[in-house]
Amino acid sequence: AQSVTQLDSHVSVSEGTPVLLRCNYSSSYSPSLFWYVQHPNKGLQLLLKYTSAATLVKGINGFEAEFKKSETSFHLTKPSAHMSDAAEYFCVVSSTNFGNEKLTFGTGTRLTIIP
Amino acid sequence: DSGVTQTPKHLITATGQRVTLRCSPRSGDLSVYWYQQSLDQGLQFLIQYYNGEERAKGNILERFSAQQFPDLHSELNLSSLELGDSALYFCASSGQGAHEQFFGPGTRLTVL
């Protein structure tokens, strides 16, 4: 069984300040982890992925995430928020079991950027 | 642009009706996935197809069915529609051995 917990449903930061979106996961298998972003009325876009290589993963638009096995966490960070970062962010865990790829989504964190 | 296309973008229909949503995966991707996103349930995995065969099932209702055709496009059929079926339906695709999925823009279904 696998699950994802996004610890904050809403996060508000001022433009130019750091962003931290928290995610904890649980997985019976060696997981792959992802962050997806969804802008209003748009589909989901892959921000970054962890697939058992480097634990610090860099993604698009200046985002990065660190895989910490001991803490079962995969928090998303960005040094300086931009107005265009306002969106919903989903932490996702994936496991492949007998060739079946299963994604489990967190409930999402809505990021608001204050001008 | 992810390379995954979905039609139609919007669909408005009445309770009891049947609709078909269509998805074309990225070129070369063999796997297609269907998801439902609603305010109360969040993002739910419905079903996966791989090269024409059903591979995995999630929280898909018996009133819903899907198939993947030889050209790899997929259709999701929703029948006996209820008000609660109103949601965004996403299709995603992935390549062989790849873990990440690429999502289409979605079809917004409204059941009146």
Side-chain angles (χ1 to χ4, degrees):
Chain A
Q2 59 187 28
S3 66
V4 172
T5 301
Q6 290 186 243
L7 298 162
D8 307 292
S9 58
H10 290 91
V11 170
S12 293
V13 302
S14 296
E15 190 177 15
T17 64
V19 175
L20 170 64
L21 305 184
R22 300 182 294 164
C23 171
N24 285 94
Y25 72 92
S26 170
S27 177
S28 303
Y29 307 95
S30 295
S32 295
L33 293 157
F34 309 87
W35 278 97
Y36 282 84
V37 61
Q38 185 179 26
H39 288 92
N41 299 312
K42 300 282 188 185
L44 287 91
Q45 181 184 18
L46 180 65
L47 268 182
L48 49 79
K49 64 179 180 181
Y50 165 78
T51 53
S52 75
T55 56
L56 183 61
V57 181
K58 293 189 185 300
I60 61 171
N61 301 333
F63 284 94
E64 60 183 39
E66 185 171 9
F67 173 72
K68 291 187 177 180
K69 187 174 181 179
S70 59
E71 298 176 11
T72 61
S73 69
F74 190 57
H75 301 335
L76 181 71
T77 60
K78 182 173 181 177
S80 175
H82 191 272
M83 293 301 295
S84 62
D85 295 329
E88 187 98 17
Y89 291 79
F90 293 93
C91 181
V92 183
V93 61
S94 166
S95 64
T96 302
N97 181 21
F98 302 107
N100 299 334
E101 194 71 44
K102 179 180 165 67
L103 289 189
T104 301
F105 284 78
T107 50
T109 298
R110 183 167 298 278
L111 177 63
T112 300
I113 310 298
I114 303 165
Chain B
D1 184 1
S2 67
V4 178
T5 60
Q6 289 186 248
T7 56
K9 283 189 75 172
H10 302 278
L11 201 47
I12 301 174
T13 188
T15 54
Q17 295 298 306
R18 172 190 169 94
V19 296
T20 298
L21 313 184
R22 182 189 168 102
C23 167
S24 292
R26 292 188 320 159
S27 177
D29 283 358
L30 299 179
S31 280
V32 169
Y33 309 78
W34 285 98
Y35 294 86
Q36 179 194 59
Q37 185 180 35
S38 61
L39 282 174
D40 54 342
Q41 300 280 343
L43 257 163
Q44 300 271 322
F45 166 69
L46 296 178
I47 197 164
Q48 175 198 357
Y49 277 81
Y50 177 82
N51 202 21
E53 293 189 6
E54 182 184 305
R55 182 61 73 90
K57 256 185 174 176
N59 301 323
I60 189 165
L61 299 172
E62 284 192 15
R63 299 184 285 109
F64 296 0
S65 64
Q67 53 184 328
Q68 185 179 27
F69 295 86
D71 68 352
L72 300 177
H73 90 271
S74 177
E75 293 180 356
L76 179 67
N77 300 296
L78 315 176
S79 62
S80 303
L81 285 168
E82 301 174 1
L83 296 177
D85 297 328
S86 296
L88 258 174
Y89 290 84
F90 287 107
C91 166
S93 73
S94 69
Q96 190 171 8
H99 293 270
E100 66 267 34
Q101 297 176 16
F102 295 88
F103 284 76
T107 293
R108 182 172 292 280
L109 173 66
T110 302
V111 182
L112 301 175

